[in-house]
């Protein structure tokens, strides 16, 4: 990560600053010398250098009041809220982008807005995930939208409409499964697998792969949160990246049958691979909340609430897919972004961060 400069490059706002990606973006911006503000519902920030802004994206009036006077030049939107239906996802998450940019419009300060979305752009929303005809892998940014309502499409449309109205540039960053560091995040595979492994060790269970044969045997890729942060900050000041959407993945591919035994070994566990059918975590780990609280007490862990560490449903969804998911990165490479991450190193780097922070024993 580049060293911080003594003179601020400008003012930046990270929306969702306490999340798995928001934290990484904030750290990157601070290191690059930006005066950084972080918006969250809690009003907390991951670094002392980040100025906290407390606001709820579902409250337009409160949002406008909280952002009055912030006047950022660069905005990174890394937050979303999962609702029961895609219709509600569109209303809430599309509306959040619209209301946020409307709240910032009076200052006329914004030069660039980066929006994080994901590969459901190609795979379909939760209600139609992996159904129907999808584009061939590796997924490329120029693919047509799928014929399903999708809150990612609604967010993009709100972003582009506001950019045309207010005269700023934009970028969209479509990540795959994110490996990173955060607690209380709804889509956090590294923390989930670390919690799973810790419970398996404590309860004397084998480390069973919960997903499908396709995910066990087939090629896939993931996105390191720090790489995503690097691409977002690169896009804010790179003319070749303006007004474009980019995929974001580590740049390597792997098979879970290769990585799973290595994760098991890191935790000192016996492991089992795919064996006939998926064995989802949501079912196998049901009722382990008290076991986690006991484990947290014995090891002096900082988070006794298992639901704030592990998101079984999200890891089950990713590892349970019966389709290949591989991402093309040529568009951002052609525009000058050539950074990569080693996925194995990424997993164990973040796992060690969870251990060092006493999130896992």
């Amino acid at each position: 990560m580049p060293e911080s400069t003594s003179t601020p490059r400008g003012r930046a706002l990270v929306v969702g600053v306490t999340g798995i990606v928001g934290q990484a973006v904030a750290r990157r911006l601070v290191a690059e010398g930006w005066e950084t503000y972080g918006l969250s519902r809690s009003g907390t920030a991951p670094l002392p250098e980040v100025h906290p802004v407390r606001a709820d994206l579902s409250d337009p009036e409160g949002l406008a009041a909280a952002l009055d006077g912030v006047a950022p030049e660069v905005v990174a939107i890394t937050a979303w809220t999962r609702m029961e239906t895609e219709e509600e996802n569109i209303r809430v998450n599309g509306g959040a982008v619209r209301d946020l940019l409307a709240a910032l419009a009076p200052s006329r300060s914004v030069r660039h807005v980066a929006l994080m979305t994901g590969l459901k752009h190609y795979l379909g929303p939760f209600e139609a995930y992996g159904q129907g005809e999808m584009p061939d892998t590796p997924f490329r940014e120029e693919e047509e939208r799928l014929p399903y309502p999708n809150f990612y499409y609604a967010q993009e449309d709100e972003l582009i409409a506001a950019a045309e109205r207010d005269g700023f540039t934009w970028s969209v960053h479509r990540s795959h499964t994110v490996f990173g560091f955060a607690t209380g995040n709804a889509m956090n595979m590294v923390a989930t697998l670390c919690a799973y492994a810790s419970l398996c060790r404590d309860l004397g269970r084998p480390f069973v792969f919960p997903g499908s044969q396709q995910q066990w045997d087939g090629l896939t890729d993931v996105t390191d949160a720090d790489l995503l942060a690097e691409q977002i900050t690169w896009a804010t000041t790179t003319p070749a990246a303006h007004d474009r959407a980019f995929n974001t993945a580590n740049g390597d591919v792997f098979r879970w049958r290769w990585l799973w035994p290595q994760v098991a070994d890191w935790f000192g566990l016996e492991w089992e691979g795919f064996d006939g059918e998926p064995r989802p975590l949501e079912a196998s780990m049901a009722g382990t909340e008290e076991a986690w609280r006991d484990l947290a007490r014995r090891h002096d862990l900082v988070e006794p609430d298992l639901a704030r560490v592990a998101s079984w449903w999200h890891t089950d969804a990713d590892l349970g897919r019966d389709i290949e998911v591989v991402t093309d990165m040529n568009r951002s490479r052609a525009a000058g972004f050539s950074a990569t991450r080693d996925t194995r190193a990424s997993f164990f780097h973040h796992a060690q961060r969870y251990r060092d922070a006493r999130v896992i024993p």
Side-chain angles (χ1 to χ4, degrees):
M1 184 176 288
E3 294 182 1
S4 179
T5 60
S6 57
T7 303
R9 295 181 61 179
R11 183 174 291 182
L13 172 68
V14 180
V15 180
V17 73
T18 58
I20 192 169
V21 175
Q23 290 192 32
V25 173
R27 288 190 177 91
R28 184 89 193 177
L29 288 166
V30 168
E32 290 186 0
W34 291 85
E35 181 187 8
T36 304
Y37 286 71
L39 187 149
S40 67
R41 280 194 300 261
S42 65
T44 59
L47 296 171
E49 298 91 342
V50 175
H51 306 283
V53 178
R54 183 173 186 172
D56 189 326
L57 292 173
S58 66
D59 176 11
E61 292 184 2
L63 191 59
L67 291 172
D68 184 32
V70 174
E73 297 166 58
V74 164
V75 180
I77 304 174
T78 68
W80 72 287
T81 302
R82 188 184 182 191
M83 307 301 291
E84 289 295 322
T85 67
E86 195 60 19
E87 181 180 5
E88 283 293 289
N89 278 331
I90 290 168
R91 182 185 66 81
V92 170
N93 294 289
V97 172
R98 181 187 64 246
D99 294 339
L100 170 74
L101 298 179
L104 293 170
S107 71
R108 304 189 65 81
S109 63
V110 177
R111 292 190 288 105
H112 186 88
V113 177
L115 170 67
M116 182 196 75
T117 63
L119 296 193
K120 285 189 288 297
H121 185 95
Y122 311 106
L123 292 164
F126 289 112
E127 294 176 6
Y129 189 75
Q131 299 176 19
E133 187 172 345
M134 291 178 297
D136 285 338
T137 54
F139 297 137
R140 294 175 171 86
E141 295 93 340
E142 64 267 22
E143 296 289 349
E144 296 291 331
R145 290 180 173 183
L146 298 177
Y148 306 107
N150 190 318
F151 82 86
Y152 286 164
Y153 304 161
Q155 288 184 310
E156 286 189 5
D157 290 344
E158 295 289 354
L159 172 64
I160 294 168
E164 292 175 349
R165 179 192 69 212
D166 297 332
F168 58 77
T169 60
W170 57 269
S171 58
V172 172
H173 304 266
R174 299 170 185 162
S175 66
H176 194 180
T177 300
V178 174
F179 282 8
F181 180 86
T183 56
N185 187 268
M187 303 173 72
N188 191 341
M189 183 180 284
V190 176
T192 297
L193 292 181
C194 285
Y196 173 45
S198 299
L199 283 166
C200 285
R201 185 173 59 189
D202 202 58
L203 298 172
R205 298 183 185 181
F207 190 54
V208 175
F209 181 73
S212 68
Q213 184 169 11
Q214 168 64 46
Q215 296 306 309
W216 180 250
D217 291 328
L219 289 171
T220 191
D221 56 21
V222 298
T223 305
D224 186 281
D226 295 331
L227 179 77
L228 180 51
E230 188 174 348
Q231 191 193 62
I232 286 172
T233 57
W234 161 81
T236 63
T237 56
T238 303
H242 291 170
D243 302 336
R244 307 192 79 187
F246 295 100
N247 292 333
T248 318
N250 286 352
D252 61 0
V253 294
F254 70 100
R255 304 179 201 274
W256 276 106
R257 71 185 188 197
W258 168 79
L259 185 56
W260 197 258
Q262 297 178 70
V263 176
D265 184 64
W266 198 80
F267 283 95
L269 292 166
E270 297 295 321
W271 61 272
E272 294 180 13
F274 178 81
D275 187 17
E277 61 182 6
R279 291 176 277 182
L281 294 171
E282 200 158 24
S284 67
M285 302 309 291
T288 57
E289 294 81 6
E290 187 57 43
W292 180 264
R293 280 190 290 270
D294 181 60
L295 185 151
R297 178 186 56 77
R298 286 184 281 112
H299 292 275
D300 192 29
L301 302 184
V302 297
E303 185 50 76
D305 183 356
L306 181 58
R308 288 185 50 79
V309 180
S311 47
W312 309 128
W313 69 271
H314 175 256
T315 296
D316 282 341
D318 274 9
L319 297 183
R321 290 182 299 216
D322 287 321
I323 52 178
E324 181 180 77
V325 180
V326 181
T327 315
D328 183 85
M329 288 289 291
N330 282 324
R331 176 179 283 187
S332 60
R333 287 170 181 157
F337 183 78
S338 58
T340 61
R341 292 293 188 278
D342 179 298
T343 291
R344 173 171 57 183
S346 169
F347 185 95
F348 293 117
H349 167 70
H350 294 298
Q352 187 62 52
R353 290 178 71 189
Y354 285 116
R355 181 166 284 173
D356 291 344
R358 301 201 332 274
V359 176
I360 62 169

